[in-house]
Amino acid sequence: MTAPTADPGHLAFWGRPDAERAATFAALRRQDRPRWIPFRNRMPFVPTDDRFLAVVRHADVVAASRDPGLFGNEPTAASLYDLPPYLARYLGSMINMDGPRHARMRKVVARAFSPRLIARLEDGVRARAQRIVDDVAARGPGDVVAQVAGRLPVQVVCDVLGIPEDQHPLVTRHGETLVGFSDPEHTGIPREYLLRHGSPGPQHVLPGSLRIIRAGHDLTTLVRRIGRDRLREPRDDLVSTLVHADVDGERLTPREVGTLFILLVLAGSETTRATLAHALRLLTDHPEQRALLLDDLEGRLPGAVEEVVRHASPVIQFRRTATGDGEIGGTPVRKGDKVLLFYTSANRDEDVFAEPDRFDLTRSPNPHLGFGGPGPHYCLGANLARLEVRVMLGALLARFPQVRAVGEPEMLLSSFTHGVKRMRFAV
Ligand code: HEM
């Protein structure tokens, strides 16, 4: 099982079973300090710096998150490559910003995610979850991602923004394209090619870019159209807030609103759907934990959600870029160095979590970093995600106490999202 020599800088590593990946990170944590890892950068038109620093310990991920002055999110936090500007235009928004620009943008969006507004969403989320469970009862179980895990998060993020129901399939489709940028199914690149070469090749960049630009363009066009309507007739939704927002005397431009929309679709739906799928897999693999949960469903659900996020780490890592010279965990960094904060590893750090590989929904305290470390970019949607997972999982288990995953899940090939593409289930 152990493959400590496996290479997180090669895409093939991210196609290995979870336990093998966990063993590699355990070995990296045992090193005296964070290590540099070479990676394949075969992208044309961008600088070919070809290594990153793997920050793998809980304390180091916390320290780097707390020091945005040294570990910045610009130029990009969600990609190992410095994206060419024509691509960066469509992606990222505030996750790729630092300093006052980030703070201003975050302040506007944060209004829609305050605990008070999230509590107001609860009835709507419950109603949607109930309908999903009713559909499973009516049609029978098949793929839990398509029928359950993938539905609620897109619906909720669209409800928050004010995107009408008939546009949800388009949002789902384009969200999958954007998050699957290194997956064979979403890119059309043969799996063997990706596994052999470790990344898409130069010949894939143009078609890949076109797919991303098309998805980004369709999503921004949709939100611009809705934004124009809301400028005339504001409603109680986030698009109305955004188009009327006054950021230090300035309005957000249609492009800023568009990229924010893309960020929220990606950040809000892909992560939460992965969490729900992992929850069912974990409860299937650990029947004693399911029994414990069913014993006191409402009381134990909040702890279960935290433990699923810790154990599964739906977001594997985010990138930072050193803005000057400094160090992290004893390893020096210089301006421009790429630094990866591996939440997936911090969440299994044996210095913080007793028996870290054990799935234990009564774990307390559970200071996991699944929603990021303490810092300016800490997940803005953490409370909404908690609500969604708690309500959806609760509704599913209340109706089908024996609901379980069947067979092996089909995983997304990605070094960024621990995504599940399909997973059969039975009730
Ligand atoms: C279980 C589900 C989720 C997980 C595991 C997750 C995880 C994360 C992580 C790790 C970060 C980066 C933190 C950092 O860099 O310090 C992040 C940022 C973010 N998340 Fe989430 N997230 C989830 C759900 C959501 C939802 C439902 C939304 C909103 C609809 C959302 C919106 C955001 C936004 C806007 C950011 C960027 C914040 C910033 O740059 O200031 N997330 N999330």
Side-chain angles (χ1 to χ4, degrees), residues 146-162:
Q147 288 175 257
V148 181
R151 279 182 69 188
L152 186 73
V154 171
Q155 291 173 349
V156 171
V157 101
C158 287
D159 285 348
V160 170
L161 279 144

Side-chain angles (χ1 to χ4, degrees), residues 65 73 77 92-97 102 106 109 113 153 156-157 160 260 263-273 275 305 309 313-315 317-320 341 343 369-382 384-386 388-389:
S65 304
N73 281 40
S93 183
M94 76 174 121
I95 191 74
N96 293 342
M97 295 178 188
H102 167 258
R106 182 161 167 127
V109 187
F113 294 93
V156 171
V157 101
V160 170
L260 241 174
L263 170 65
L264 289 172
V265 168
L266 286 181
S269 51
E270 301 302 332
T271 49
T272 315
R273 104 177 165 165
T275 308
V305 174
V309 172
S313 296
V315 175
Q317 46 87 13
F318 260 110
R319 172 183 149 187
R320 300 291 189 262
L341 309 185
Y343 306 121
L369 304 180
F371 291 114
H377 292 277
Y378 180 79
C379 177
L380 197 55
L384 180 58
R386 287 178 169 118
E388 287 180 46
V389 179

Side-chain angles (χ1 to χ4, degrees), residues 151-270:
R151 279 182 69 188
L152 186 73
V154 171
Q155 291 173 349
V156 171
V157 101
C158 287
D159 285 348
V160 170
L161 279 144
I163 310 294
E165 189 115 18
D166 62 354
Q167 300 298 325
H168 292 188
L170 177 135
V171 174
T172 305
R173 202 171 60 246
H174 289 324
E176 285 174 359
T177 301
L178 293 173
V179 84
F181 58 87
S182 60
D183 185 78
E185 192 176 323
H186 294 294
T187 56
I189 307 171
R191 188 176 178 86
E192 304 70 47
Y193 181 97
L194 289 167
L195 296 187
R196 183 152 29 93
H197 294 280
S199 73
Q203 73 276 29
H204 301 125
V205 169
L206 191 59
S209 303
L210 289 176
R211 250 191 318 275
I212 289 176
I213 289 173
R214 196 174 311 126
H217 176 264
D218 284 2
L219 289 173
T220 44
T221 304
L222 169 65
V223 83
R224 275 184 195 201
R225 186 162 54 71
I226 295 169
R228 275 196 299 274
D229 291 349
R230 300 299 193 272
L231 262 179
R232 283 194 305 272
E233 267 178 66
R235 290 198 199 159
D236 188 14
D237 60 36
L238 182 55
V239 172
S240 300
T241 309
L242 293 176
V243 294
H244 289 96
D246 185 334
V247 184
D248 288 355
E250 284 176 38
R251 287 266 171 97
L252 295 179
T253 64
R255 203 170 94 193
E256 284 173 318
V257 175
T259 56
L260 241 174
F261 175 48
I262 292 176
L263 170 65
L264 289 172
V265 168
L266 286 181
S269 51
E270 301 302 332

Side-chain angles (χ1 to χ4, degrees), residues 8-25:
H10 195 289
L11 197 55
F13 174 80
W14 301 101
R16 304 300 303 158
D18 286 1
E20 247 181 62
R21 286 150 56 158
T24 299
F25 282 108

